[in-house]
Structures are given as structure tokens and as C-alpha cells.
Amino acid sequence: MTITISTDVAEFVRAECGENVYLCYQCEKCSSGCPTAPAMRYRPAQMMRLAQFGLENVLVHDASIWRCLGCDTCTAHCPHDLSVRRLVEVMRHHVMQDVYLPNGIDALDGDDDLRKGCGRWG
Ligand code: SF4
Ligand code: SF4
């Protein structure tokens, strides 16, 4: 997998969902309250860090963004009211529109579990 670094993703997330990922200081309270964090390669706090660093390719090609239940427990725990759910929604929309649909199954080369359509424990 090729990893590209772009600072655009943080601005993109802010514009699309109003989430300022730069407020995140990695306290991990979101991860500790997330019911599906154990099934994620990148925990909620790590997803925020990847967005801060503009490493959208890592998020795009990994199943972690598809394991979020949308419960918003992360927001309830976060000292800055940051929501990984909102970040995940924006990333899902982005990858469906710009990556998966144009490139088909080849876009899933970074995650065999996602390609097979099964869970990490499947
Ligand atoms: S909204 Fe998603 S990331 Fe946030 S706590 Fe729920 S499952 Fe985890
Ligand atoms: S709880 Fe908020 S500040 Fe703490 S790691 Fe999660 S998103 Fe970042």
C-alpha cells in the first residue's frame, strides 16, 4: 500500500462535518468507550491522529472505518466533544465516491478481510 501525506484531509473533514481534528490530544478516552475498538486495526483516537497527519490513504484502505456503529459514545467521552462517528461518516462517503466506486474491488487491496467481506475474526 502506498501512503501519501496530505494536510488536505483535516480541512476536508472540517469543511464536511465541522470536526476540528487538531483539537484531539490523544487522551484515548474515545477508544476506551468505543464498543468496537477491539475489532479495529486503528482505534478511534488513532483514526483522529491519522486524520491530523493527513494519512487518509491509511483510513481509506482499512476496515476500521467500517466497524464504527455510529453510537457516538466517543463524543460523550471526549473532553473536546470530538466525534469519531462524524469523521468516519465523512471518510466512508469519501471512499465510496472517490475510491471504491471508480476503482472497484482493486481499491480493497490494503485489507484482505474487507475484500472477502468478512470480519477480522471471521
Ligand atoms: S461512534 Fe463509532 S467510533 Fe464512536 S464510540 Fe461508537 S462505534 Fe466507536
Ligand atoms: S477523546 Fe477526544 S481528545 Fe481524546 S483521543 Fe479521543 S478524540 Fe482525541
Side-chain angles (χ1 to χ4, degrees), residues 23-49:
L23 291 175
C24 173
Y25 61 105
Q26 292 294 295
C27 67
E28 290 275 6
K29 290 179 179 174
C30 53
S31 303
S32 65
C34 175
T36 54
M40 295 170 172
R41 188 196 311 265
Y42 301 109
R43 299 184 306 277
Q46 291 176 306
M47 286 197 258
M48 280 291 182
R49 185 59 106 201

Short mmCIF file of all heavy atoms in Angstrom, two decimals, residues 23-49:
data_model
loop_
_atom_site.label_atom_id
_atom_site.label_comp_id
_atom_site.label_asym_id
_atom_site.label_seq_id
_atom_site.Cartn_x
_atom_site.Cartn_y
_atom_site.Cartn_z
N LEU A 23 -7.92 19.45 17.51
CA LEU A 23 -8.17 19.59 18.95
C LEU A 23 -7.85 18.31 19.71
O LEU A 23 -7.71 18.31 20.92
CB LEU A 23 -9.64 19.96 19.20
CG LEU A 23 -10.08 21.36 18.76
CD1 LEU A 23 -11.58 21.53 18.97
CD2 LEU A 23 -9.30 22.43 19.52
N CYS A 24 -7.77 17.21 18.99
CA CYS A 24 -7.51 15.92 19.64
C CYS A 24 -6.09 15.87 20.18
O CYS A 24 -5.14 16.18 19.48
CB CYS A 24 -7.72 14.78 18.63
SG CYS A 24 -7.23 13.16 19.28
N TYR A 25 -5.96 15.49 21.46
CA TYR A 25 -4.62 15.40 22.06
C TYR A 25 -4.32 13.98 22.54
O TYR A 25 -3.51 13.76 23.44
CB TYR A 25 -4.46 16.42 23.19
CG TYR A 25 -5.41 16.27 24.36
CD1 TYR A 25 -4.96 15.74 25.56
CD2 TYR A 25 -6.73 16.66 24.26
CE1 TYR A 25 -5.82 15.60 26.64
CE2 TYR A 25 -7.61 16.53 25.33
CZ TYR A 25 -7.14 16.00 26.51
OH TYR A 25 -8.01 15.85 27.57
N GLN A 26 -5.02 13.01 21.95
CA GLN A 26 -4.69 11.59 22.15
C GLN A 26 -4.84 11.11 23.59
O GLN A 26 -4.00 10.34 24.08
CB GLN A 26 -3.27 11.31 21.63
CG GLN A 26 -3.13 11.43 20.12
CD GLN A 26 -3.94 10.36 19.38
OE1 GLN A 26 -3.65 9.17 19.49
NE2 GLN A 26 -4.95 10.79 18.65
N CYS A 27 -5.90 11.55 24.25
CA CYS A 27 -6.14 11.07 25.61
C CYS A 27 -6.69 9.64 25.62
O CYS A 27 -6.68 8.97 26.64
CB CYS A 27 -7.09 12.00 26.35
SG CYS A 27 -8.79 12.00 25.69
N GLU A 28 -7.21 9.19 24.47
CA GLU A 28 -7.71 7.82 24.29
C GLU A 28 -9.03 7.54 25.01
O GLU A 28 -9.45 6.38 25.12
CB GLU A 28 -6.67 6.77 24.71
CG GLU A 28 -5.46 6.67 23.81
CD GLU A 28 -5.66 5.77 22.59
OE1 GLU A 28 -6.79 5.30 22.38
OE2 GLU A 28 -4.69 5.54 21.86
N LYS A 29 -9.70 8.58 25.55
CA LYS A 29 -10.98 8.33 26.21
C LYS A 29 -12.03 7.83 25.23
O LYS A 29 -12.90 7.04 25.57
CB LYS A 29 -11.46 9.61 26.91
CG LYS A 29 -10.63 9.96 28.13
CD LYS A 29 -11.11 11.23 28.81
CE LYS A 29 -10.24 11.52 30.04
NZ LYS A 29 -10.57 12.82 30.65
N CYS A 30 -11.95 8.27 23.98
CA CYS A 30 -12.89 7.79 22.97
C CYS A 30 -12.69 6.29 22.73
O CYS A 30 -13.65 5.53 22.66
CB CYS A 30 -12.72 8.57 21.66
SG CYS A 30 -11.02 8.60 21.04
N SER A 31 -11.43 5.90 22.63
CA SER A 31 -11.13 4.48 22.38
C SER A 31 -11.58 3.60 23.52
O SER A 31 -12.11 2.50 23.31
CB SER A 31 -9.62 4.29 22.16
OG SER A 31 -9.15 5.10 21.11
N SER A 32 -11.42 4.10 24.75
CA SER A 32 -11.77 3.26 25.90
C SER A 32 -13.28 3.05 25.99
O SER A 32 -13.73 2.04 26.56
CB SER A 32 -11.25 3.89 27.20
OG SER A 32 -11.89 5.12 27.44
N GLY A 33 -14.08 3.97 25.43
CA GLY A 33 -15.53 3.81 25.50
C GLY A 33 -16.15 3.20 24.26
O GLY A 33 -17.35 2.91 24.24
N CYS A 34 -15.34 3.00 23.23
CA CYS A 34 -15.87 2.51 21.95
C CYS A 34 -16.13 1.00 22.00
O CYS A 34 -15.21 0.22 22.27
CB CYS A 34 -14.88 2.83 20.84
SG CYS A 34 -15.36 2.14 19.24
N PRO A 35 -17.36 0.57 21.70
CA PRO A 35 -17.68 -0.86 21.79
C PRO A 35 -16.99 -1.71 20.73
O PRO A 35 -16.86 -2.92 20.91
CB PRO A 35 -19.20 -0.90 21.62
CG PRO A 35 -19.55 0.36 20.91
CD PRO A 35 -18.54 1.38 21.35
N THR A 36 -16.57 -1.11 19.63
CA THR A 36 -15.96 -1.92 18.57
C THR A 36 -14.46 -1.67 18.41
O THR A 36 -13.84 -2.21 17.49
CB THR A 36 -16.66 -1.68 17.21
OG1 THR A 36 -16.67 -0.29 16.94
CG2 THR A 36 -18.07 -2.23 17.21
N ALA A 37 -13.87 -0.89 19.30
CA ALA A 37 -12.43 -0.63 19.22
C ALA A 37 -11.59 -1.92 19.18
O ALA A 37 -10.60 -1.98 18.45
CB ALA A 37 -11.98 0.27 20.38
N PRO A 38 -11.97 -2.98 19.94
CA PRO A 38 -11.16 -4.20 19.88
C PRO A 38 -11.13 -4.84 18.49
O PRO A 38 -10.23 -5.64 18.19
CB PRO A 38 -11.83 -5.13 20.90
CG PRO A 38 -12.54 -4.21 21.84
CD PRO A 38 -13.01 -3.07 20.99
N ALA A 39 -12.12 -4.52 17.66
CA ALA A 39 -12.17 -5.11 16.32
C ALA A 39 -11.57 -4.19 15.27
O ALA A 39 -11.59 -4.51 14.08
CB ALA A 39 -13.62 -5.42 15.94
N MET A 40 -11.04 -3.05 15.70
CA MET A 40 -10.48 -2.08 14.76
C MET A 40 -8.95 -2.18 14.75
O MET A 40 -8.32 -2.23 15.81
CB MET A 40 -10.87 -0.65 15.15
CG MET A 40 -12.35 -0.35 15.07
SD MET A 40 -12.70 1.28 15.82
CE MET A 40 -14.43 1.50 15.38
N ARG A 41 -8.38 -2.15 13.57
CA ARG A 41 -6.91 -2.07 13.49
C ARG A 41 -6.45 -0.70 14.05
O ARG A 41 -5.45 -0.61 14.75
CB ARG A 41 -6.45 -2.20 12.04
CG ARG A 41 -4.93 -2.31 11.91
CD ARG A 41 -4.46 -2.04 10.47
NE ARG A 41 -5.20 -2.76 9.47
CZ ARG A 41 -4.84 -3.93 8.95
NH1 ARG A 41 -3.73 -4.49 9.35
NH2 ARG A 41 -5.58 -4.51 8.03
N TYR A 42 -7.23 0.34 13.70
CA TYR A 42 -6.93 1.68 14.21
C TYR A 42 -8.06 2.11 15.14
O TYR A 42 -9.20 2.27 14.71
CB TYR A 42 -6.77 2.67 13.06
CG TYR A 42 -5.67 2.28 12.12
CD1 TYR A 42 -5.94 1.80 10.85
CD2 TYR A 42 -4.34 2.34 12.54
CE1 TYR A 42 -4.92 1.41 10.00
CE2 TYR A 42 -3.31 1.95 11.69
CZ TYR A 42 -3.61 1.49 10.42
OH TYR A 42 -2.61 1.09 9.59
N ARG A 43 -7.74 2.28 16.43
CA ARG A 43 -8.74 2.70 17.40
C ARG A 43 -9.22 4.11 17.07
O ARG A 43 -8.57 4.84 16.31
CB ARG A 43 -8.12 2.69 18.81
CG ARG A 43 -7.63 1.33 19.27
CD ARG A 43 -7.13 1.41 20.72
NE ARG A 43 -6.12 2.44 20.93
CZ ARG A 43 -4.83 2.28 20.68
NH1 ARG A 43 -4.38 1.14 20.21
NH2 ARG A 43 -3.98 3.27 20.90
N PRO A 44 -10.36 4.54 17.66
CA PRO A 44 -10.87 5.88 17.38
C PRO A 44 -9.82 6.98 17.53
O PRO A 44 -9.71 7.87 16.67
CB PRO A 44 -12.00 6.02 18.39
CG PRO A 44 -12.53 4.62 18.52
CD PRO A 44 -11.32 3.75 18.47
N ALA A 45 -9.04 6.96 18.60
CA ALA A 45 -8.02 8.00 18.78
C ALA A 45 -6.97 7.94 17.67
O ALA A 45 -6.48 8.97 17.20
CB ALA A 45 -7.34 7.84 20.14
N GLN A 46 -6.64 6.72 17.24
CA GLN A 46 -5.67 6.58 16.16
C GLN A 46 -6.23 7.10 14.84
O GLN A 46 -5.50 7.67 14.02
CB GLN A 46 -5.25 5.11 16.02
CG GLN A 46 -4.42 4.61 17.19
CD GLN A 46 -4.12 3.13 17.07
OE1 GLN A 46 -5.03 2.31 16.91
NE2 GLN A 46 -2.85 2.78 17.15
N MET A 47 -7.55 6.90 14.64
CA MET A 47 -8.16 7.45 13.42
C MET A 47 -8.07 8.97 13.42
O MET A 47 -7.80 9.59 12.37
CB MET A 47 -9.61 6.97 13.30
CG MET A 47 -9.73 5.52 12.90
SD MET A 47 -11.38 5.12 12.30
CE MET A 47 -12.07 4.32 13.72
N MET A 48 -8.28 9.57 14.59
CA MET A 48 -8.14 11.02 14.68
C MET A 48 -6.70 11.45 14.36
O MET A 48 -6.46 12.44 13.66
CB MET A 48 -8.50 11.50 16.10
CG MET A 48 -9.98 11.62 16.34
SD MET A 48 -10.70 12.99 15.39
CE MET A 48 -12.41 12.90 15.95
N ARG A 49 -5.73 10.71 14.86
CA ARG A 49 -4.32 11.04 14.61
C ARG A 49 -3.99 10.93 13.13
O ARG A 49 -3.30 11.78 12.56
CB ARG A 49 -3.41 10.11 15.43
CG ARG A 49 -1.95 10.45 15.34
CD ARG A 49 -1.66 11.86 15.83
NE ARG A 49 -1.03 11.89 17.13
CZ ARG A 49 -1.03 12.96 17.92
NH1 ARG A 49 -1.63 14.06 17.54
NH2 ARG A 49 -0.44 12.92 19.09
#
